[in-house]
Amino acid sequence: MTSELERLRQVMAELRAKCPWDAEQTHRSLLNHLIEEACEVVDAVETGSDAELAEELGDVLLQVYFHSQIATDEGRFTIDDVARGISDKLVRRHPHVFSDEDVPADMWESWEKRKQAEKGRTSSLEGIAESLSVIARAHKVVSRSRSHAVAVELPSEPIDEESVGREIIALVARAQASGIDADAAARRALRELEGRITEAEVQGGS
């Protein structure tokens, strides 16, 4: 009996072969679709039903199979390569589950250190997506600097989720009233923080 995942692979292969629109798509032409589908998953998690979440996850899964089929058609890699890669990565980075190592005290720090060693990275900032929103990138930069124990001063006073949202919106409102582009200001501040992190890493390694 054909699994639903194999059925999806076959459907996608047939669409690429027989549908003019699907046949002309590229990795680049699909990027907006991938971003939109991911955002719709967020909406379904926050305000939707189980049925809506299942549907939106299916749309994201389609994007994975679509990109993989394009690569297959070009002789680059297959959906099996994609699945094998992520399975191998998960096993490799969870030796406390798939081997006999003890559970690390700090799971996130352990994950980041294993990733850094695998990829030969010298900076905690390497590998953070440039296309992230400024808030998402700032979160990642701060998280990386902490998990890598970079010697930079960062606020750590406790705050609840409601206050975070309210204060961010209030800052945006104050910025708009003052004629300031809050997004641009945040990007500048983030670049300054990244510069301090890089400097601290250089000093720490010297």
Side-chain angles (χ1 to χ4, degrees), residues 10-132:
Q10 293 174 2
V11 167
M12 193 65 251
E14 191 160 359
L15 286 173
R16 282 282 291 173
K18 298 180 180 179
C19 174
W21 185 89
D22 289 287
E24 69 181 9
Q25 298 311 306
T26 66
H27 293 300
R28 187 174 294 276
S29 72
L30 290 173
L31 287 180
N32 283 340
H33 296 283
L34 176 60
I35 293 168
E36 182 179 354
E37 301 299 359
C39 289
E40 289 178 1
V41 169
V42 174
D43 291 344
V45 168
E46 293 183 345
T47 62
S49 64
D50 284 351
E52 289 169 330
L53 178 56
E55 178 181 356
E56 301 305 342
L57 287 172
D59 289 340
V60 171
L61 184 61
L62 166 61
Q63 293 300 309
V64 174
Y65 271 70
F66 206 152
H67 281 276
S68 298
Q69 188 61 47
I70 291 172
T72 298
D73 294 342
E74 296 173 352
R76 296 160 60 190
F77 59 82
T78 69
I79 188 67
D80 286 335
D81 295 322
V82 173
R84 182 184 307 107
I86 188 59
S87 293
D88 289 348
K89 180 191 294 185
L90 290 171
V91 170
R92 192 168 59 245
R93 294 189 186 171
H94 292 82
H96 55 285
V97 175
F98 299 100
S99 185
D100 56 0
E101 289 191 18
D102 293 333
V103 177
D106 189 324
M107 298 288 290
W108 186 249
E109 181 180 0
S110 174
W111 175 277
E112 287 294 332
K113 285 183 176 179
R114 290 183 183 279
K115 181 193 295 187
Q116 184 180 29
E118 286 174 14
K119 296 182 177 293
R121 292 172 177 168
T122 58
S123 170
S124 62
L125 301 180
E126 290 182 54
I128 300 178
E130 295 285 347
S131 56
L132 286 172

Side-chain angles (χ1 to χ4, degrees), residues 164-178 180 182:
V164 169
R166 185 172 57 246
E167 291 183 23
I168 288 175
I169 297 302
L171 277 173
V172 172
R174 290 172 60 190
Q176 190 279 331
S178 301
I180 296 171

